[in-house]
Amino acid sequence: MLRGQKVFFQATKVDLDRLYACNRESARVWNECLRLAKEHFLQPGGWITKNELQKQTKRKFHLHS
């Protein structure tokens, strides 16, 4: 895509509702990861690892991968 070029997108109301639901769920994932990272950092142990974040968030959210 060229810089400054506009892309138009059309979707049904059902599809838009699903996209917004996915967006809200991904925001929940982000906020939970931030909360866990902060909690872990404030304890002796420093930064949380990717594996630990994955373990603590597994099966908590309605998103694939």
Side-chain angles (χ1 to χ4, degrees):
M1 180 171 34
L2 298 174
R3 176 180 264 170
Q5 186 178 15
K6 292 184 180 182
V7 177
F8 295 95
F9 173 80
Q10 290 183 333
T12 65
K13 176 156 177 25
V14 171
D15 288 339
L16 283 175
D17 289 344
R18 178 68 179 134
L19 288 169
Y20 282 124
C22 289
N23 191 42
R24 284 189 300 274
E25 192 69 358
S26 67
R28 287 184 60 229
V29 172
W30 176 256
N31 289 330
E32 179 65 4
C33 288
L34 287 178
R35 187 191 68 74
L36 290 168
K38 181 179 179 181
E39 181 180 283
H40 193 273
F41 184 77
L42 293 175
Q43 298 173 357
W47 297 106
I48 193 167
T49 65
K50 176 179 140 183
N51 287 339
E52 189 60 32
L53 268 177
Q54 288 173 337
K55 285 179 195 173
Q56 291 192 34
T57 57
K58 189 174 186 175
R59 294 191 178 108
K60 285 179 108 176
F61 302 99
H62 299 289
L63 290 174
H64 184 271
S65 299

